[in-house]
Amino acid sequence: MELYIDTANLDEIREAHDLGVLDGVTTNPSLIAKEGIDYGKRLAEICEIVRGPVSAEVIALEYDAMVKEGKMRAEIADNIVVKLPVTVDGLKACKALSDEGIRTNMTLCFQSMQAMMVAKAGAYLVSPFIGRLDDISQDGTELISQIRTIYDNYGFATKILAASIRHPKHMLECALIGADVATVPMNVIKQLMQHPLTDNGLKKFLEDYNKAFA
Ligand code: E4P
């Protein structure tokens, strides 16, 4: 399973990169707004740190403008993946950019038919948002499971990127279902390595050792 970090913060990206297990980065307009920095400049900085796919979301909502903005973002670096919403215009833009060899990440996916349509249009990634579905009492991981079945039924090559991950259990469920990628905030990446028995065990080992030899 590939691991992306979901942030536009350079310190977090460097920290995750230094762990040695980071495959890519996703950003979105809210994450960029939090940083208060020019989007293009920040994307260039991220692409210098991480050589894997870096998702750059378009702000435009209409087809022509989406394609234009997507092409502009794709020129920043060869690892940029253009992120588009799963709207009708987004679908058309996905097809146009994919036909030109520009990779796309289709975002804000909340139902499996959106995922099937963007796969037909040649999307590189589809981003089902599981945490936001859970927030409204729907089953986010069930959506991942449905998309996995549909993609396997028809041999679609689009990668399932589990997004809006809130905790390690989301990651576990996505890994068991067979999501190709998960994009995760830094606090959850750290939680993936935590267990109280690990901490307690380590403490006891050191106490025993120090008692015997200190
Ligand atoms: C994915 O690309 C999105 O940036 C992200 O996962 C959204 O997560 P949120 O629901 O925690 O904002």
Side-chain angles (χ1 to χ4, degrees):
M1 188 186 207
E2 290 175 59
L3 176 69
Y4 293 1
I5 187 166
D6 195 27
T7 186
N9 181 279
L10 285 188
D11 291 336
E12 289 183 346
I13 291 168
R14 279 195 203 97
E15 193 181 353
H17 178 258
D18 288 349
L19 296 177
V21 292
L22 188 70
D23 300 296
V25 179
T26 51
T27 63
N28 66 39
S30 303
L31 293 171
I32 285 287
K34 225 161 86 179
E35 297 300 308
I37 187 171
D38 175 77
Y39 204 170
K41 183 173 181 294
R42 179 48 51 94
L43 288 167
E45 290 169 336
I46 295 172
C47 290
E48 271 179 30
I49 302 169
V50 177
R51 290 306 303 148
V54 173
S55 286
E57 188 156 345
V58 301
I59 308 298
L61 296 176
E62 280 156 18
Y63 168 73
D64 289 326
M66 277 181 182
V67 171
K68 192 170 163 213
E69 192 182 335
K71 284 182 183 174
M72 182 186 82
R73 296 291 182 222
E75 275 175 15
I76 293 172
D78 57 11
N79 53 329
I80 287 283
V81 173
V82 176
K83 206 172 178 193
L84 303 161
V86 292
T87 57
V88 172
D89 282 59
L91 180 72
K92 277 176 67 184
C94 171
K95 173 73 177 146
L97 293 173
S98 304
D99 283 352
E100 289 196 30
I102 295 173
R103 293 182 296 178
T104 58
N105 173 3
M106 301 306 291
T107 192
L108 291 167
C109 172
F110 292 100
Q111 59 116 332
S112 50
M113 286 302 97
Q114 291 172 322
M116 191 182 79
M117 295 294 276
V118 300
K120 286 176 68 65
Y124 173 67
L125 292 161
V126 65
S127 292
F129 277 38
I130 63 177
R132 291 192 194 188
L133 279 172
D134 288 0
D135 290 345
I136 58 159
S137 302
Q138 292 192 16
D139 189 345
T141 48
E142 172 57 22
L143 174 60
I144 303 286
S145 180
Q146 287 179 4
I147 299 171
R148 181 74 283 155
T149 302
I150 292 166
Y151 282 8
D152 290 348
N153 281 349
Y154 297 101
F156 287 122
T158 303
K159 291 186 185 192
I160 303 172
L161 193 176
S164 187
I165 296 228
R166 304 266 198 263
H167 45 67
K169 191 158 178 278
H170 272 155
M171 278 292 281
L172 170 64
E173 288 166 350
C174 289
L176 291 173
I177 292 165
D180 301 287
V181 193
T183 189
V184 187
M186 192 62 208
N187 65 315
V188 179
I189 291 180
K190 286 181 180 163
Q191 285 173 16
L192 298 176
M193 289 303 293
Q194 285 167 5
H195 195 284
L197 291 181
T198 305
D199 297 340
N200 292 348
L202 196 55
K203 191 164 165 262
K204 181 78 170 66
F205 284 159
L206 290 176
E207 278 170 7
D208 290 346
Y209 186 87
N210 287 334
K211 227 180 278 169
F213 300 110

